[in-house]
Amino acid sequence: MQKIYVRPISMSYGSDAKKLIKSKQALPVCSNKNLAFGKVEIIIRGKKNQTKTVNINQLKSLPLRLKKEVLRKIKRISQKRKKILGLNLDTFKIFGVLNVTPDSFSDGGKFNKLKQAIIHSEGMISQGADVIDVGGESTRPGAKLISVENEKKRVLQVISKIKKYKISIDTRKSQVMVAAIKKGAKIINDVSAMDFDSQSLSVVAKLKKPIILNHSQGTPDIMQNNPSYQNVLLDIYDYFEDKINQLTKRKFLKQNIILDPGIGFGKNLDHNLNLISNIGLFHALGCPIMLGPSRKSFIGKVMKDKDTKNRLGGTLASVITGYNQGVQCFRVHDIKESYEALKVQEALNSI
């Protein structure tokens, strides 16, 4: 059975985008009239994948069955994303990383004391973060599982002290999700997209809080052992589609689902570069998209002997590549620099 995928391409920005939209030669990405796509790449997946590129104003010439499915997906790409917790997704949103762990890959041990965590949270908000993403268990490649009680001990006190901000709880354990929401967290960020804990699906559906579904292949201790896909983009697209269906069947609002393709979570260098370069494909699922490339090892693999500790340049390049395809949410460590890069790109794209 063949399956059809649609990716917006031939992007234009600012006044060019507005003119093309007005003349019906392009359509907006997620209702953003400063970002338009003039063509779509249509991928037909079967025994042998086929691809074709079609101008927006030539869609009527497609065969009927293909046209119907392509137009359905284009509608999702173009439609406005609703607010999440009052966050207007017409503009970029930054999730600041707060790892209250001793062993996270980049900042383990820096903020695992309460006072340090509070100060860092305040700093990130003042620098432009919209949400503080609190994590108590390292999910770096090779990381080992910790107990529910240990994870709760790390995150709950911090959340209760910074709950005046919008907080997401970065956990793959349903019991931690419940406890964190009770303490004041408002968003769940599950790096396993509810795969790790068999109770997570029912818990998420019951809590009715926004959920970030992060794709990962395998658990952190083994996820980088030769990860493989038939097609990394299409496999992850199908995975997300299934997760969305699982949640909506339980009357969970689709507008409260954010999709994160999981850079570095069971992916090699080519997988990561492919996902960032073509992340616009996921707009056709009709949900906001998150990108989290911050300080990830793929940057080091590109840079080789010129790799730097904080990988700031590589992070910002990845963030801007995602932003220029309409990605709304960015999970980063370096708030000030990411905010500046996004704000300047936003201004450039409005001309």
Side-chain angles (χ1 to χ4, degrees):
M1 183 178 173
Q2 293 182 326
K3 188 168 180 182
I4 297 162
Y5 306 79
V6 177
R7 182 170 71 93
I9 58 174
S10 293
M11 299 296 186
S12 55
Y13 306 91
S15 58
D16 288 340
K18 291 186 178 78
K19 286 176 189 174
L20 290 169
I21 292 169
K22 190 173 182 181
S23 64
K24 297 184 179 179
Q25 296 180 70
L27 291 167
V29 176
C30 301
S31 82
N32 180 358
K33 291 185 179 177
N34 282 324
L35 176 60
F37 60 105
K39 298 179 182 180
V40 290
E41 179 188 46
I42 301 169
I43 305 164
I44 303 170
R45 192 179 200 184
K47 288 184 178 179
K48 187 176 181 181
N49 290 354
Q50 305 169 51
T51 62
K52 58 172 71 181
T53 300
V54 182
N55 292 336
I56 289 301
N57 57 8
Q58 295 175 339
L59 292 169
K60 289 180 181 178
S61 64
L62 291 172
L64 184 61
R65 191 186 76 84
L66 179 60
K67 180 171 68 174
K68 186 176 180 181
E69 183 63 15
V70 169
L71 289 176
R72 188 169 72 90
K73 287 182 163 61
I74 284 176
K75 184 178 180 181
R76 287 184 192 161
I77 295 167
S78 301
Q79 70 189 10
K80 183 180 178 67
R81 302 298 184 254
K82 294 186 178 180
K83 290 181 181 181
I84 293 180
L85 296 181
L87 295 171
N88 180 3
L89 297 177
D90 290 344
T91 59
F92 66 85
K93 293 294 169 278
I94 293 177
F95 285 59
V97 178
L98 179 61
N99 287 322
V100 287
T101 62
D103 58 344
S104 289
F105 79 95
S106 176
D107 54 3
K110 285 188 176 182
F111 309 114
N112 58 337
K113 298 290 189 293
L114 183 60
K115 184 178 179 181
Q116 294 166 325
I118 293 170
I119 291 169
H120 188 52
S121 299
E122 291 169 347
M124 287 194 288
I125 292 292
S126 70
Q127 290 172 354
D130 299 282
V131 179
I132 303 298
D133 189 47
V134 180
E137 178 183 49
S138 175
T139 49
R140 61 181 169 77
K144 302 299 182 186
L145 179 68
I146 67 168
S147 69
V148 168
E149 291 310 313
N150 197 359
E151 190 174 343
K152 282 184 185 178
K153 188 177 178 182
R154 291 177 181 180
V155 301
L156 296 183
Q157 188 179 19
V158 173
I159 290 170
S160 66
K161 295 293 184 182
I162 61 171
K163 63 183 178 183
K164 63 181 178 180
Y165 307 129
K166 288 182 172 67
I167 306 298
S168 59
I169 174 63
D170 178 1
T171 185
R172 50 189 177 150
K173 302 187 183 84
S174 61
Q175 289 175 269
V176 179
M177 293 174 191
V178 172
I181 294 297
K182 285 180 179 177
K183 288 292 183 180
K186 297 290 191 291
I187 303 175
I188 296 164
N189 181 12
D190 186 345
V191 298
S192 78
M194 307 182 299
D195 280 344
F196 177 79
D197 184 334
S198 62
Q199 297 302 309
S200 290
L201 176 59
S202 58
V203 164
V204 168
K206 185 177 179 181
L207 289 171
K208 291 184 168 32
K209 298 295 182 182
I211 175 87
I212 301 164
L213 299 174
N214 181 102
H215 175 273
S216 59
Q217 189 182 86
T219 50
D221 55 331
I222 60 166
M223 66 186 179
Q224 290 307 107
N225 295 347
N226 194 30
S228 64
Y229 300 83
Q230 287 186 340
N231 180 305
V232 68
L233 278 164
L234 306 188
D235 290 359
I236 293 174
Y237 184 104
D238 291 349
Y239 175 88
F240 281 147
E241 190 169 50
D242 178 59
K243 292 293 178 182
I244 292 167
N245 289 337
Q246 287 180 34
L247 282 167
T248 54
K249 280 178 182 176
R250 291 175 178 246
K251 299 185 178 177
F252 190 89
L253 293 177
K254 185 178 177 181
Q255 69 193 56
N256 283 333
I257 300 171
I258 299 173
L259 306 175
D260 184 339
I263 302 303
F265 287 89
K267 284 99 180 170
N268 63 27
L269 175 59
D270 287 345
H271 296 147
N272 290 316
L273 296 177
N274 196 352
L275 283 166
I276 295 169
S277 298
N278 299 289
I279 197 168
L281 176 78
F282 300 111
H283 286 306
L285 288 163
C287 296
I289 301 171
M290 173 174 278
L291 179 60
S294 188
R295 302 181 182 177
K296 295 283 177 75
S297 63
F298 82 92
I299 300 170
K301 288 171 184 171
V302 171
M303 296 307 299
K304 298 179 181 176
D305 61 339
K306 290 185 171 59
D307 188 22
T308 56
K309 183 181 178 183
N310 282 346
R311 296 169 175 162
L312 183 58
T315 298
L316 297 181
S318 303
V319 164
I320 295 305
T321 297
Y323 178 73
N324 282 339
Q325 294 175 74
V327 171
Q328 298 94 347
C329 303
F330 301 89
R331 184 182 183 275
V332 294
H333 298 81
D334 300 289
I335 309 302
K336 181 171 65 174
E337 294 84 355
S338 298
Y339 182 85
E340 182 176 299
L342 285 161
K343 201 68 181 170
V344 170
Q345 192 65 51
E346 182 181 63
L348 291 167
N349 288 2
S350 69
I351 299 300

PDB file of all heavy atoms in Angstrom, residues 194 201-202 204-206 208 211 213 238 240-255 257:
ATOM      1  N   MET A 194       6.246   8.437  25.268  1.00  0.00           N
ATOM      2  CA  MET A 194       5.333   7.531  25.994  1.00  0.00           C
ATOM      3  C   MET A 194       5.646   6.053  25.764  1.00  0.00           C
ATOM      4  O   MET A 194       4.857   5.187  26.133  1.00  0.00           O
ATOM      5  CB  MET A 194       3.861   7.812  25.647  1.00  0.00           C
ATOM      6  CG  MET A 194       3.441   9.255  25.818  1.00  0.00           C
ATOM      7  SD  MET A 194       1.681   9.548  25.464  1.00  0.00           S
ATOM      8  CE  MET A 194       1.581   9.063  23.734  1.00  0.00           C
ATOM      9  N   LEU A 201       0.735   6.678  28.454  1.00  0.00           N
ATOM     10  CA  LEU A 201      -0.355   7.076  27.563  1.00  0.00           C
ATOM     11  C   LEU A 201      -1.618   7.398  28.339  1.00  0.00           C
ATOM     12  O   LEU A 201      -2.239   8.455  28.145  1.00  0.00           O
ATOM     13  CB  LEU A 201      -0.621   5.982  26.526  1.00  0.00           C
ATOM     14  CG  LEU A 201      -1.809   6.206  25.581  1.00  0.00           C
ATOM     15  CD1 LEU A 201      -1.640   7.484  24.776  1.00  0.00           C
ATOM     16  CD2 LEU A 201      -1.983   5.000  24.656  1.00  0.00           C
ATOM     17  N   SER A 202      -2.009   6.510  29.242  1.00  0.00           N
ATOM     18  CA  SER A 202      -3.244   6.748  30.014  1.00  0.00           C
ATOM     19  C   SER A 202      -3.082   7.935  30.962  1.00  0.00           C
ATOM     20  O   SER A 202      -4.020   8.716  31.161  1.00  0.00           O
ATOM     21  CB  SER A 202      -3.650   5.494  30.795  1.00  0.00           C
ATOM     22  OG  SER A 202      -2.625   5.084  31.670  1.00  0.00           O
ATOM     23  N   VAL A 204      -1.022  10.614  30.543  1.00  0.00           N
ATOM     24  CA  VAL A 204      -1.020  11.847  29.746  1.00  0.00           C
ATOM     25  C   VAL A 204      -2.443  12.201  29.321  1.00  0.00           C
ATOM     26  O   VAL A 204      -2.867  13.361  29.401  1.00  0.00           O
ATOM     27  CB  VAL A 204      -0.091  11.695  28.516  1.00  0.00           C
ATOM     28  CG1 VAL A 204      -0.298  12.851  27.527  1.00  0.00           C
ATOM     29  CG2 VAL A 204       1.368  11.640  28.955  1.00  0.00           C
ATOM     30  N   ALA A 205      -3.188  11.203  28.877  1.00  0.00           N
ATOM     31  CA  ALA A 205      -4.571  11.439  28.452  1.00  0.00           C
ATOM     32  C   ALA A 205      -5.428  11.944  29.618  1.00  0.00           C
ATOM     33  O   ALA A 205      -6.297  12.806  29.430  1.00  0.00           O
ATOM     34  CB  ALA A 205      -5.156  10.161  27.877  1.00  0.00           C
ATOM     35  N   LYS A 206      -5.180  11.427  30.799  1.00  0.00           N
ATOM     36  CA  LYS A 206      -5.958  11.830  31.973  1.00  0.00           C
ATOM     37  C   LYS A 206      -5.569  13.226  32.461  1.00  0.00           C
ATOM     38  O   LYS A 206      -6.434  14.032  32.819  1.00  0.00           O
ATOM     39  CB  LYS A 206      -5.740  10.809  33.099  1.00  0.00           C
ATOM     40  CG  LYS A 206      -6.597  11.052  34.330  1.00  0.00           C
ATOM     41  CD  LYS A 206      -6.388   9.962  35.373  1.00  0.00           C
ATOM     42  CE  LYS A 206      -7.224  10.228  36.615  1.00  0.00           C
ATOM     43  NZ  LYS A 206      -7.025   9.185  37.655  1.00  0.00           N
ATOM     44  N   LYS A 208      -4.314  15.665  30.726  1.00  0.00           N
ATOM     45  CA  LYS A 208      -4.744  16.662  29.731  1.00  0.00           C
ATOM     46  C   LYS A 208      -3.828  17.886  29.681  1.00  0.00           C
ATOM     47  O   LYS A 208      -4.274  18.996  29.339  1.00  0.00           O
ATOM     48  CB  LYS A 208      -6.192  17.087  29.975  1.00  0.00           C
ATOM     49  CG  LYS A 208      -7.199  15.975  29.689  1.00  0.00           C
ATOM     50  CD  LYS A 208      -8.622  16.454  29.858  1.00  0.00           C
ATOM     51  CE  LYS A 208      -9.676  15.502  29.316  1.00  0.00           C
ATOM     52  NZ  LYS A 208      -9.399  14.073  29.365  1.00  0.00           N
ATOM     53  N   ILE A 211       1.730  17.986  25.717  1.00  0.00           N
ATOM     54  CA  ILE A 211       2.774  16.963  25.704  1.00  0.00           C
ATOM     55  C   ILE A 211       3.724  17.204  24.533  1.00  0.00           C
ATOM     56  O   ILE A 211       3.282  17.481  23.425  1.00  0.00           O
ATOM     57  CB  ILE A 211       2.166  15.545  25.622  1.00  0.00           C
ATOM     58  CG1 ILE A 211       3.235  14.458  25.485  1.00  0.00           C
ATOM     59  CG2 ILE A 211       1.204  15.415  24.448  1.00  0.00           C
ATOM     60  CD1 ILE A 211       3.800  13.951  26.744  1.00  0.00           C
ATOM     61  N   LEU A 213       6.155  15.182  22.318  1.00  0.00           N
ATOM     62  CA  LEU A 213       6.512  13.819  21.940  1.00  0.00           C
ATOM     63  C   LEU A 213       7.873  13.852  21.256  1.00  0.00           C
ATOM     64  O   LEU A 213       8.000  14.355  20.138  1.00  0.00           O
ATOM     65  CB  LEU A 213       5.457  13.234  21.004  1.00  0.00           C
ATOM     66  CG  LEU A 213       4.035  13.116  21.567  1.00  0.00           C
ATOM     67  CD1 LEU A 213       3.072  12.653  20.477  1.00  0.00           C
ATOM     68  CD2 LEU A 213       4.002  12.153  22.761  1.00  0.00           C
ATOM     69  N   ASP A 238       5.739   8.585  10.370  1.00  0.00           N
ATOM     70  CA  ASP A 238       4.757   7.524  10.642  1.00  0.00           C
ATOM     71  C   ASP A 238       4.613   7.274  12.142  1.00  0.00           C
ATOM     72  O   ASP A 238       3.510   7.041  12.651  1.00  0.00           O
ATOM     73  CB  ASP A 238       5.168   6.228   9.950  1.00  0.00           C
ATOM     74  CG  ASP A 238       5.050   6.302   8.436  1.00  0.00           C
ATOM     75  OD1 ASP A 238       4.453   7.265   7.925  1.00  0.00           O
ATOM     76  OD2 ASP A 238       5.584   5.394   7.761  1.00  0.00           O
ATOM     77  N   PHE A 240       5.124   9.452  14.591  1.00  0.00           N
ATOM     78  CA  PHE A 240       4.357  10.544  15.178  1.00  0.00           C
ATOM     79  C   PHE A 240       2.871  10.435  14.849  1.00  0.00           C
ATOM     80  O   PHE A 240       2.018  10.685  15.698  1.00  0.00           O
ATOM     81  CB  PHE A 240       4.885  11.893  14.689  1.00  0.00           C
ATOM     82  CG  PHE A 240       6.134  12.371  15.377  1.00  0.00           C
ATOM     83  CD1 PHE A 240       7.076  13.107  14.687  1.00  0.00           C
ATOM     84  CD2 PHE A 240       6.361  12.106  16.711  1.00  0.00           C
ATOM     85  CE1 PHE A 240       8.217  13.569  15.312  1.00  0.00           C
ATOM     86  CE2 PHE A 240       7.495  12.562  17.362  1.00  0.00           C
ATOM     87  CZ  PHE A 240       8.437  13.300  16.654  1.00  0.00           C
ATOM     88  N   GLU A 241       2.584  10.063  13.631  1.00  0.00           N
ATOM     89  CA  GLU A 241       1.186   9.922  13.223  1.00  0.00           C
ATOM     90  C   GLU A 241       0.470   8.898  14.103  1.00  0.00           C
ATOM     91  O   GLU A 241      -0.674   9.119  14.540  1.00  0.00           O
ATOM     92  CB  GLU A 241       1.121   9.523  11.753  1.00  0.00           C
ATOM     93  CG  GLU A 241      -0.267   9.587  11.156  1.00  0.00           C
ATOM     94  CD  GLU A 241      -0.243   9.436   9.647  1.00  0.00           C
ATOM     95  OE1 GLU A 241       0.405   8.472   9.164  1.00  0.00           O
ATOM     96  OE2 GLU A 241      -0.853  10.262   8.962  1.00  0.00           O
ATOM     97  N   ASP A 242       1.137   7.803  14.385  1.00  0.00           N
ATOM     98  CA  ASP A 242       0.572   6.777  15.249  1.00  0.00           C
ATOM     99  C   ASP A 242       0.363   7.301  16.672  1.00  0.00           C
ATOM    100  O   ASP A 242      -0.679   7.049  17.298  1.00  0.00           O
ATOM    101  CB  ASP A 242       1.488   5.546  15.262  1.00  0.00           C
ATOM    102  CG  ASP A 242       0.966   4.448  16.182  1.00  0.00           C
ATOM    103  OD1 ASP A 242      -0.160   3.972  15.953  1.00  0.00           O
ATOM    104  OD2 ASP A 242       1.680   4.075  17.137  1.00  0.00           O
ATOM    105  N   LYS A 243       1.336   8.047  17.187  1.00  0.00           N
ATOM    106  CA  LYS A 243       1.225   8.599  18.548  1.00  0.00           C
ATOM    107  C   LYS A 243       0.079   9.604  18.648  1.00  0.00           C
ATOM    108  O   LYS A 243      -0.664   9.621  19.641  1.00  0.00           O
ATOM    109  CB  LYS A 243       2.543   9.268  18.951  1.00  0.00           C
ATOM    110  CG  LYS A 243       3.696   8.317  19.134  1.00  0.00           C
ATOM    111  CD  LYS A 243       3.475   7.411  20.324  1.00  0.00           C
ATOM    112  CE  LYS A 243       4.617   6.428  20.483  1.00  0.00           C
ATOM    113  NZ  LYS A 243       4.403   5.507  21.609  1.00  0.00           N
ATOM    114  N   ILE A 244      -0.054  10.449  17.635  1.00  0.00           N
ATOM    115  CA  ILE A 244      -1.153  11.417  17.617  1.00  0.00           C
ATOM    116  C   ILE A 244      -2.491  10.680  17.645  1.00  0.00           C
ATOM    117  O   ILE A 244      -3.402  11.042  18.403  1.00  0.00           O
ATOM    118  CB  ILE A 244      -1.050  12.324  16.376  1.00  0.00           C
ATOM    119  CG1 ILE A 244       0.178  13.238  16.483  1.00  0.00           C
ATOM    120  CG2 ILE A 244      -2.320  13.159  16.214  1.00  0.00           C
ATOM    121  CD1 ILE A 244       0.533  13.937  15.174  1.00  0.00           C
ATOM    122  N   ASN A 245      -2.617   9.633  16.859  1.00  0.00           N
ATOM    123  CA  ASN A 245      -3.862   8.848  16.826  1.00  0.00           C
ATOM    124  C   ASN A 245      -4.150   8.183  18.167  1.00  0.00           C
ATOM    125  O   ASN A 245      -5.305   8.145  18.614  1.00  0.00           O
ATOM    126  CB  ASN A 245      -3.785   7.788  15.723  1.00  0.00           C
ATOM    127  CG  ASN A 245      -3.866   8.390  14.334  1.00  0.00           C
ATOM    128  OD1 ASN A 245      -4.394   9.483  14.170  1.00  0.00           O
ATOM    129  ND2 ASN A 245      -3.325   7.700  13.344  1.00  0.00           N
ATOM    130  N   GLN A 246      -3.099   7.665  18.809  1.00  0.00           N
ATOM    131  CA  GLN A 246      -3.292   7.045  20.123  1.00  0.00           C
ATOM    132  C   GLN A 246      -3.865   8.043  21.123  1.00  0.00           C
ATOM    133  O   GLN A 246      -4.756   7.707  21.916  1.00  0.00           O
ATOM    134  CB  GLN A 246      -1.955   6.499  20.647  1.00  0.00           C
ATOM    135  CG  GLN A 246      -1.458   5.250  19.955  1.00  0.00           C
ATOM    136  CD  GLN A 246      -0.128   4.797  20.534  1.00  0.00           C
ATOM    137  OE1 GLN A 246       0.139   4.948  21.724  1.00  0.00           O
ATOM    138  NE2 GLN A 246       0.727   4.243  19.694  1.00  0.00           N
ATOM    139  N   LEU A 247      -3.353   9.266  21.098  1.00  0.00           N
ATOM    140  CA  LEU A 247      -3.810  10.283  22.045  1.00  0.00           C
ATOM    141  C   LEU A 247      -5.194  10.804  21.703  1.00  0.00           C
ATOM    142  O   LEU A 247      -6.054  10.941  22.581  1.00  0.00           O
ATOM    143  CB  LEU A 247      -2.803  11.437  22.089  1.00  0.00           C
ATOM    144  CG  LEU A 247      -1.535  11.175  22.912  1.00  0.00           C
ATOM    145  CD1 LEU A 247      -0.476  12.223  22.629  1.00  0.00           C
ATOM    146  CD2 LEU A 247      -1.855  11.151  24.414  1.00  0.00           C
ATOM    147  N   THR A 248      -5.435  11.109  20.432  1.00  0.00           N
ATOM    148  CA  THR A 248      -6.729  11.686  20.068  1.00  0.00           C
ATOM    149  C   THR A 248      -7.879  10.686  20.249  1.00  0.00           C
ATOM    150  O   THR A 248      -9.011  11.079  20.517  1.00  0.00           O
ATOM    151  CB  THR A 248      -6.711  12.234  18.625  1.00  0.00           C
ATOM    152  OG1 THR A 248      -6.279  11.213  17.724  1.00  0.00           O
ATOM    153  CG2 THR A 248      -5.779  13.436  18.524  1.00  0.00           C
ATOM    154  N   LYS A 249      -7.571   9.393  20.123  1.00  0.00           N
ATOM    155  CA  LYS A 249      -8.589   8.373  20.389  1.00  0.00           C
ATOM    156  C   LYS A 249      -9.029   8.408  21.852  1.00  0.00           C
ATOM    157  O   LYS A 249     -10.137   7.974  22.191  1.00  0.00           O
ATOM    158  CB  LYS A 249      -8.054   6.983  20.047  1.00  0.00           C
ATOM    159  CG  LYS A 249      -8.108   6.662  18.556  1.00  0.00           C
ATOM    160  CD  LYS A 249      -7.523   5.301  18.265  1.00  0.00           C
ATOM    161  CE  LYS A 249      -7.528   5.006  16.775  1.00  0.00           C
ATOM    162  NZ  LYS A 249      -6.871   3.714  16.460  1.00  0.00           N
ATOM    163  N   ARG A 250      -8.145   8.938  22.712  1.00  0.00           N
ATOM    164  CA  ARG A 250      -8.479   9.073  24.132  1.00  0.00           C
ATOM    165  C   ARG A 250      -8.966  10.487  24.455  1.00  0.00           C
ATOM    166  O   ARG A 250      -8.899  10.917  25.603  1.00  0.00           O
ATOM    167  CB  ARG A 250      -7.256   8.711  24.982  1.00  0.00           C
ATOM    168  CG  ARG A 250      -6.914   7.220  24.910  1.00  0.00           C
ATOM    169  CD  ARG A 250      -5.629   6.924  25.674  1.00  0.00           C
ATOM    170  NE  ARG A 250      -5.335   5.499  25.637  1.00  0.00           N
ATOM    171  CZ  ARG A 250      -5.340   4.702  26.696  1.00  0.00           C
ATOM    172  NH1 ARG A 250      -5.660   5.179  27.892  1.00  0.00           N
ATOM    173  NH2 ARG A 250      -5.049   3.423  26.584  1.00  0.00           N
ATOM    174  N   LYS A 251      -9.404  11.197  23.415  1.00  0.00           N
ATOM    175  CA  LYS A 251      -9.982  12.542  23.540  1.00  0.00           C
ATOM    176  C   LYS A 251      -8.972  13.578  24.033  1.00  0.00           C
ATOM    177  O   LYS A 251      -9.349  14.587  24.644  1.00  0.00           O
ATOM    178  CB  LYS A 251     -11.228  12.514  24.428  1.00  0.00           C
ATOM    179  CG  LYS A 251     -12.316  11.615  23.854  1.00  0.00           C
ATOM    180  CD  LYS A 251     -13.604  11.667  24.659  1.00  0.00           C
ATOM    181  CE  LYS A 251     -14.662  10.772  24.005  1.00  0.00           C
ATOM    182  NZ  LYS A 251     -15.908  10.727  24.784  1.00  0.00           N
ATOM    183  N   PHE A 252      -7.699  13.316  23.761  1.00  0.00           N
ATOM    184  CA  PHE A 252      -6.660  14.320  24.031  1.00  0.00           C
ATOM    185  C   PHE A 252      -6.657  15.297  22.862  1.00  0.00           C
ATOM    186  O   PHE A 252      -6.720  14.899  21.699  1.00  0.00           O
ATOM    187  CB  PHE A 252      -5.293  13.641  24.151  1.00  0.00           C
ATOM    188  CG  PHE A 252      -4.199  14.541  24.649  1.00  0.00           C
ATOM    189  CD1 PHE A 252      -3.953  14.662  26.004  1.00  0.00           C
ATOM    190  CD2 PHE A 252      -3.406  15.269  23.763  1.00  0.00           C
ATOM    191  CE1 PHE A 252      -2.935  15.484  26.475  1.00  0.00           C
ATOM    192  CE2 PHE A 252      -2.394  16.087  24.214  1.00  0.00           C
ATOM    193  CZ  PHE A 252      -2.158  16.203  25.579  1.00  0.00           C
ATOM    194  N   LEU A 253      -6.571  16.597  23.165  1.00  0.00           N
ATOM    195  CA  LEU A 253      -6.627  17.614  22.112  1.00  0.00           C
ATOM    196  C   LEU A 253      -5.348  17.625  21.283  1.00  0.00           C
ATOM    197  O   LEU A 253      -4.251  17.800  21.815  1.00  0.00           O
ATOM    198  CB  LEU A 253      -6.852  18.997  22.729  1.00  0.00           C
ATOM    199  CG  LEU A 253      -8.196  19.245  23.400  1.00  0.00           C
ATOM    200  CD1 LEU A 253      -8.235  20.629  24.022  1.00  0.00           C
ATOM    201  CD2 LEU A 253      -9.345  19.064  22.418  1.00  0.00           C
ATOM    202  N   LYS A 254      -5.499  17.465  19.987  1.00  0.00           N
ATOM    203  CA  LYS A 254      -4.344  17.467  19.091  1.00  0.00           C
ATOM    204  C   LYS A 254      -3.573  18.784  19.173  1.00  0.00           C
ATOM    205  O   LYS A 254      -2.353  18.809  19.029  1.00  0.00           O
ATOM    206  CB  LYS A 254      -4.803  17.207  17.649  1.00  0.00           C
ATOM    207  CG  LYS A 254      -3.664  17.082  16.658  1.00  0.00           C
ATOM    208  CD  LYS A 254      -4.180  16.772  15.268  1.00  0.00           C
ATOM    209  CE  LYS A 254      -3.045  16.728  14.267  1.00  0.00           C
ATOM    210  NZ  LYS A 254      -3.520  16.440  12.899  1.00  0.00           N
ATOM    211  N   GLN A 255      -4.288  19.884  19.414  1.00  0.00           N
ATOM    212  CA  GLN A 255      -3.630  21.194  19.492  1.00  0.00           C
ATOM    213  C   GLN A 255      -2.639  21.281  20.649  1.00  0.00           C
ATOM    214  O   GLN A 255      -1.819  22.206  20.692  1.00  0.00           O
ATOM    215  CB  GLN A 255      -4.684  22.295  19.631  1.00  0.00           C
ATOM    216  CG  GLN A 255      -5.420  22.288  20.960  1.00  0.00           C
ATOM    217  CD  GLN A 255      -6.641  23.155  20.946  1.00  0.00           C
ATOM    218  OE1 GLN A 255      -7.545  22.998  20.117  1.00  0.00           O
ATOM    219  NE2 GLN A 255      -6.693  24.110  21.864  1.00  0.00           N
ATOM    220  N   ILE A 257      -0.383  18.915  21.331  1.00  0.00           N
ATOM    221  CA  ILE A 257       0.733  18.002  21.049  1.00  0.00           C
ATOM    222  C   ILE A 257       1.816  18.756  20.291  1.00  0.00           C
ATOM    223  O   ILE A 257       1.549  19.394  19.268  1.00  0.00           O
ATOM    224  CB  ILE A 257       0.269  16.799  20.210  1.00  0.00           C
ATOM    225  CG1 ILE A 257      -0.814  16.003  20.957  1.00  0.00           C
ATOM    226  CG2 ILE A 257       1.450  15.894  19.861  1.00  0.00           C
ATOM    227  CD1 ILE A 257      -1.474  14.917  20.106  1.00  0.00           C
TER     228      ILE A 257
END
